[in-house]
Amino acid sequence: MISAHPNEIVFLSGGTEANNMVLNMFKCQQKLQNGYGAGDEVVKLPHIITSSIEHVSITKPLEKLRDDGLVEVTFVDVDKTTHAIRVEDVLQAIQPQTTLISLMLANNETGVLQPVKELSEKLRPYQHSNRKIYLHTDACQAIGKIPVSVKDLSVDYLTIAGHKFYGPRIGALYVRGLGHCNGAPLQPMILGGGQENGYRAGTENVAMIVGLGKASELVSSNIHSYQSQLLSVRDYLEDSLQQKFGSLIHFNAKSSDSTRLPNTCNFSLVGKRFLGRAILQHCKVIIAGVGAACHSNAIVASPILLNSGIPSDIAVNAIRLSVGIKTSFADIDVAVEDIWNAYQAIAHPKSHSQSTEQ
């Protein structure tokens, strides 16, 4: 599915574990006191670069490692027009002790694609025989929606989550040249038995691994038809919402300068009363999120949207919809009507209650 060699795959519990495994490998192995080593010589901590719109399974581990004095971290802001990271900004953030750059392939809330391939190409002049900057991408959101190839991306690590492409809730980590002297390094985070060639202890969940393999097979055989189907239905969804709501709707992170996944639609209804959560509470049919799927209980505006340049009064009203490979145009019609009725219930509560009683 991702053009990797079987020996370069380690099976894990999910994308969160895979991300944590990569990040923890690049921390300083000795806790330092006040940033100093022997004598008065300043010890430079490993430096990791990431973006300000990463999934929390990247940002939270990095913040913890930073607060524990084990790494230095730079969170690079995204361009507020393209809603994607600028490769030049990442390159400018590189320091002599930079060891890892982690950049998601596609954002999980906006669907905006990030320039991972371009970054890997621009990193080549920075690589030397005595110094290597490794590149990791969290590809969980992109796999199953667009073609993903580690050869094309030229990354050292790539995170996979099965449930994002109709597989079971299990994950995997791609590690370039795993086990070879010139391959990317990997250190176990969970110790015990020798499973997964000693990289991930614990008896493997064979049934879920087989399920992940089958889902990967289906993606490999059908990715272009999946991509076309998702795009046509998502575009129909956005066109239908636009026709229904007109100037009342704002599509977040959608512009002629941004490239998005074919399945993701993030929008807001303009107005103080139309919080994303309020709209969803009045919906009778659809189930959706106001931010990332794993923490949709937040009432405040999504930090991802704010960091992507969406104004706070718009971001707090956001609703994220995703279409699937079996979503039909008829499903979209039902969903749009449901959102319209929810809007009417908030905008005109008295007349809506009277029509409901009748």
Side-chain angles (χ1 to χ4, degrees), residues 83-97:
H83 312 290
I85 205 78
R86 287 186 293 257
V87 171
E88 294 74 16
D89 291 344
V90 176
L91 298 179
Q92 289 179 6
I94 292 176
Q95 302 175 12
Q97 68 272 25

Side-chain angles (χ1 to χ4, degrees), residues 41-310:
E41 181 184 357
V42 176
V43 176
K44 293 291 186 180
L45 293 175
H47 177 239
I48 298 175
I49 300 172
T50 190
S51 80
S52 62
I53 59 167
E54 297 295 314
H55 189 269
V56 287
S57 61
I58 291 289
T59 58
K60 286 192 174 182
L62 283 178
E63 289 168 353
K64 179 70 164 57
L65 291 172
R66 178 198 60 195
D67 294 345
D68 288 346
L70 298 176
V71 299
E72 291 182 358
V73 184
T74 298
F75 293 92
V76 178
D77 290 331
V78 301
D79 184 275
K80 300 306 188 286
T81 301
T82 64
H83 312 290
I85 205 78
R86 287 186 293 257
V87 171
E88 294 74 16
D89 291 344
V90 176
L91 298 179
Q92 289 179 6
I94 292 176
Q95 302 175 12
Q97 68 272 25
T98 301
T99 56
L100 177 70
I101 299 174
S102 181
L103 180 62
M104 64 187 352
L105 190 54
N107 186 263
N108 53 304
E109 293 188 33
T110 65
V112 174
L113 300 179
Q114 304 300 313
V116 175
K117 180 180 179 180
E118 181 186 352
L119 176 59
S120 68
E121 293 171 348
K122 294 289 182 66
L123 270 179
R124 289 170 187 165
Y126 292 80
Q127 312 290 15
H128 306 288
S129 58
N130 60 343
R131 180 194 180 193
K132 169 72 176 177
I133 301 176
Y134 293 95
L135 179 59
H136 164 249
T137 187
D138 178 349
C140 293
Q141 201 69 24
I143 292 176
K145 289 91 173 179
I146 60 173
V148 176
S149 166
V150 294
K151 292 181 180 178
D152 182 54
L153 295 172
S154 295
V155 292
D156 299 293
Y157 306 95
L158 184 141
T159 296
I160 300 165
H163 67 281
K164 296 293 185 179
F165 53 99
Y166 298 99
R169 288 187 176 272
I170 189 172
L173 177 66
Y174 159 80
V175 184
R176 179 187 55 79
L178 181 60
H180 293 280
C181 59
N182 61 345
L186 187 67
Q187 297 172 359
M189 193 167 63
I190 298 176
L191 301 175
Q195 293 88 355
E196 295 304 296
N197 293 317
Y199 292 111
R200 206 285 190 178
T203 303
E204 291 99 333
N205 191 331
V206 176
M208 284 203 172
I209 291 173
V210 172
L212 180 64
K214 187 60 182 178
S216 302
E217 255 182 53
L218 293 171
V219 169
S220 299
S221 302
N222 301 290
I223 185 58
H224 295 293
S225 61
Y226 286 174
Q227 186 176 11
S228 176
Q229 165 70 8
L230 293 171
L231 183 61
S232 63
V233 177
R234 195 278 309 276
D235 285 352
Y236 180 72
L237 166 63
E238 294 187 343
D239 290 344
S240 299
L241 287 170
Q242 185 69 70
Q243 291 176 14
K244 198 77 170 177
F245 290 94
S247 60
L248 289 172
I249 197 164
H250 181 277
F251 291 104
N252 301 316
K254 177 186 178 183
S255 72
S256 57
D257 298 313
S258 62
T259 305
R260 297 180 297 155
L261 291 174
N263 72 313
T264 307
C265 169
N266 194 308
F267 72 95
S268 300
L269 297 182
V270 179
K272 292 184 178 180
R273 288 180 291 171
F274 306 119
L275 297 173
R277 180 159 299 283
I279 293 291
L280 292 175
Q281 285 173 342
H282 285 82
C283 285
K284 306 298 183 184
V285 180
I286 68 168
I287 299 174
V290 295
C294 50
H295 52 86
S296 286
N297 289 325
I299 300 176
V300 297
S302 160
I304 298 296
L305 293 182
L306 295 177
N307 290 339
S308 296
I310 309 302

